[in-house]
Amino acid sequence: MQEPSDKALVPFVSVDHMMQLIHHIGVADMLRGLADYIEADFKRWELFDKTPRVASHSAEGVIELMPTSDGETYGFKYVNGHPKNTADGLQTVTAFGLLADVDTGYPVLLTEMTMLTALRTAATSAMVARTLAPKGAKTMAMIGNGAQSEFQSLAMHAIAGIEEVRLYDIDPAATAKCAANLAGTGLKVTQCKTAEDAIEGAQILTTCTADKAYATILNDNMVGAGVHINAIGGDCPGKTEIAPAILKRGDIFVEYPPQTRIEGDIQQLDADHPVTEIWQVLTGQAQGRTSDKQITIFDSVGFAIEDFSALRYVRDRINGTPFYHPLDLLADPDDPRDLFGMLTRAKG
């Protein structure tokens, strides 16, 4: 049996190793680190290949590939979104991702991304809220208390300075689950019986619901002046959360307009409705919040550069740790022109 060469081995981060890595770093520190990597990559936005994700839709959900490259490193994520899965005891979202060296095409990292996507989504939300939310914002309404809710709450606490989270879900068991998981984290947690109760006194309103439907989680009369809306549940065609009237009253910030106009809440608006790309705010090329009474809306659908940033972060942080397996992923014959010879020599 031939032993794999060093070039054949690719670091693979399993779910178990990812969880160990998170605890090794600390959840809050990892969220802050991811936010810093994402912000740094957004600030060099123009270097990246950009394309809307490649999506395969069905009645039950969607399977997507999300690729990008900065010219030196290539990355992609495989991810699905199937809201009905929870009824069968399955995750709504699962994912894995890969980084590769552009010069050779050789992969340099393969990793689970179900856990990592939850972290990067929350880190992105909090990084943007730090930029757009009203100054001194301390309270967030978390509407939709599924798998992402704890990550969003902890990221807003660690990155945007939120001290209280007000929870609401149509399923009280989901709210109780979220509240129990957030106990002892330093956040004040309030369980609410309606969405209206949840947004009372909140300066940041996060919506994160799973149904693949034209839903209205926030009605126009629920949202007053001077708030930041973090809309992350609407992420594919036919799936929305925010009433069009709110969108028309607010200033909308997005990751990548060609994707968000198809998948985000702004799919409800005219194709030429003005939006601002968040990378332009981060680089000082566009304004963010300009007044205390302004409604800012981050219509976030998730974009490949955020995953690229998360993959970069993990690649850098596993160096010198035991939190990965060397995976025999690549055929690496002594003579690169003799792949068949390698196969022959492996017999018996």
Side-chain angles (χ1 to χ4, degrees):
M1 178 178 176
Q2 288 184 298
E3 290 296 320
S5 71
D6 289 343
K7 293 187 179 68
L9 298 175
V10 176
F12 168 61
V13 182
S14 66
V15 174
D16 181 56
H17 275 149
M18 181 63 73
M19 292 190 294
Q20 290 183 54
L21 179 66
I22 294 166
H23 287 302
H24 172 72
I25 297 169
V27 174
D29 284 342
M30 187 159 179
L31 285 164
R32 283 189 284 261
L34 286 167
D36 289 344
Y37 270 58
I38 294 165
E39 182 170 355
D41 282 340
F42 272 44
K43 287 180 175 178
R44 58 192 192 104
W45 183 268
E46 292 166 295
L47 292 178
F48 284 89
D49 294 336
K50 292 172 284 291
T51 181
R53 52 186 155 214
V54 181
S56 175
H57 293 279
S58 67
E60 290 75 26
V62 63
I63 296 173
E64 301 167 330
L65 291 178
M66 300 173 65
T68 192
S69 171
D70 65 356
E72 295 183 1
T73 306
Y74 171 89
F76 80 83
K77 182 173 79 174
Y78 165 97
V79 63
N80 77 294
H82 286 69
K84 70 175 183 62
N85 277 5
T86 52
D88 299 322
L90 303 174
Q91 287 284 299
T92 300
V93 175
T94 66
F96 66 88
L98 179 142
L99 279 184
D101 177 63
V102 167
D103 285 347
T104 65
Y106 272 44
V108 297
L109 176 71
L110 177 66
T111 179
E112 83 80 39
M113 287 195 76
T114 307
M115 192 72 67
L116 187 57
T117 293
L119 288 160
R120 78 86 164 127
T121 301
T124 302
S125 292
M127 183 270 291
V128 172
R130 179 173 62 191
T131 303
L132 295 180
K135 185 177 293 187
K138 297 299 180 186
T139 302
M140 179 178 76
M142 184 71 238
I143 301 174
N145 301 155
Q148 177 64 203
S149 58
E150 294 93 343
F151 295 95
Q152 287 286 321
S153 300
L154 291 171
M156 290 291 183
H157 182 47
I159 297 164
I162 290 303
E163 296 176 355
E164 178 182 1
V165 60
R166 299 176 62 81
L167 306 175
Y168 170 70
D169 194 288
I170 57 173
D171 179 4
T175 300
K177 174 270 304 180
C178 184
N181 284 337
L182 292 176
T185 62
L187 277 167
K188 178 183 176 183
V189 178
T190 303
Q191 299 184 55
C192 302
K193 294 184 178 180
T194 66
E196 289 82 356
D197 287 344
I199 66 175
E200 185 176 343
Q203 299 88 27
I204 298 176
L205 316 180
T206 292
T207 56
C208 186
T209 58
D211 285 346
K212 190 177 181 182
Y214 287 115
T216 304
I217 307 304
L218 293 180
N219 292 307
D220 187 30
N221 62 2
M222 293 169 64
V223 177
V227 298
H228 173 65
I229 300 173
N230 179 41
I232 59 174
D235 58 2
C236 69
K239 186 181 179 197
T240 64
E241 297 180 315
I242 310 301
I246 298 173
L247 298 172
K248 292 174 182 176
R249 285 198 288 131
D251 291 302
I252 301 168
F253 300 83
V254 303
E255 292 134 325
Y256 184 59
Q259 180 174 298
T260 310
R261 292 192 190 277
I262 295 169
E263 299 180 349
D265 272 278
I266 60 172
Q267 67 186 270
Q268 303 173 90
L269 303 181
D270 293 339
D272 60 352
H273 188 90
V275 299
T276 301
E277 296 181 55
I278 193 63
W279 72 269
Q280 294 176 313
V281 178
L282 295 170
T283 57
Q285 298 179 44
Q287 290 185 312
R289 175 168 292 276
T290 57
S291 78
D292 293 340
K293 295 184 177 181
Q294 183 182 13
I295 298 172
T296 55
I297 303 164
F298 181 39
D299 189 4
S300 176
V301 297
F303 190 63
I305 292 174
E306 297 156 19
D307 300 305
F308 180 94
S309 306
L311 288 164
R312 280 204 310 114
Y313 178 85
V314 169
R315 179 196 60 190
D316 292 349
R317 292 309 300 262
I318 62 172
N319 285 335
T321 78
F323 306 129
Y324 66 92
H325 300 285
L327 187 66
D328 184 10
L329 187 64
L330 306 175
D332 184 48
D334 295 334
D335 180 350
R337 298 166 297 180
D338 192 18
L339 188 62
F340 187 81
M342 179 182 177
L343 172 63
T344 302
R345 290 188 294 275
K347 183 178 180 180

